[in-house]
Amino acid sequence: MSRVQLANEPDIPGLVALNNRYVQQGLTLKRSGEFAYAHLADYRVVRGADGEIIGCVALDEYSPSVVEIISLAVSQDEQGLGHGTALINAADELARKRGYAEVFSVSF
């Protein structure tokens, strides 16, 4: 079972690196360390046994009632183990706690 945690400042390089692995495939938008820092409270992560980030997701507010799930990424060797589902569920729970009426995600 995936244990989703809050992201913290030392996680920023790992968040950015994981997210940006999928940019060339068109699966994620490129993120910078500055973006991750500014949205740190919006990120959730899954860590491997060594503490390395193996999955991440974030929320991006569109309006006080609408939020997008963004930066969903799971390391290739960790895919198919339920981490993505756990991250989406954590993002949805965070959105509900924050009172968003609508949650959406753009996928291809």
Side-chain angles (χ1 to χ4, degrees), residues 25-84:
Q25 297 169 303
L27 299 174
T28 58
L29 296 176
K30 187 172 183 169
R31 302 294 181 201
S32 67
E34 292 80 14
F35 178 91
Y37 180 80
H39 292 86
L40 197 55
D42 303 319
Y43 272 94
R44 298 297 181 262
V45 298
V46 173
R47 300 177 198 284
D50 61 359
E52 179 183 354
I53 294 173
I54 59 172
C56 64
V57 70
L59 294 178
D60 191 22
E61 183 178 275
Y62 270 56
S63 74
S65 64
V66 179
V67 69
E68 180 182 8
I69 295 175
I70 63 166
S71 299
L72 176 63
V74 176
S75 296
Q76 280 188 308
D77 56 341
E78 295 288 338
Q79 292 179 5
L81 302 174
H83 302 310

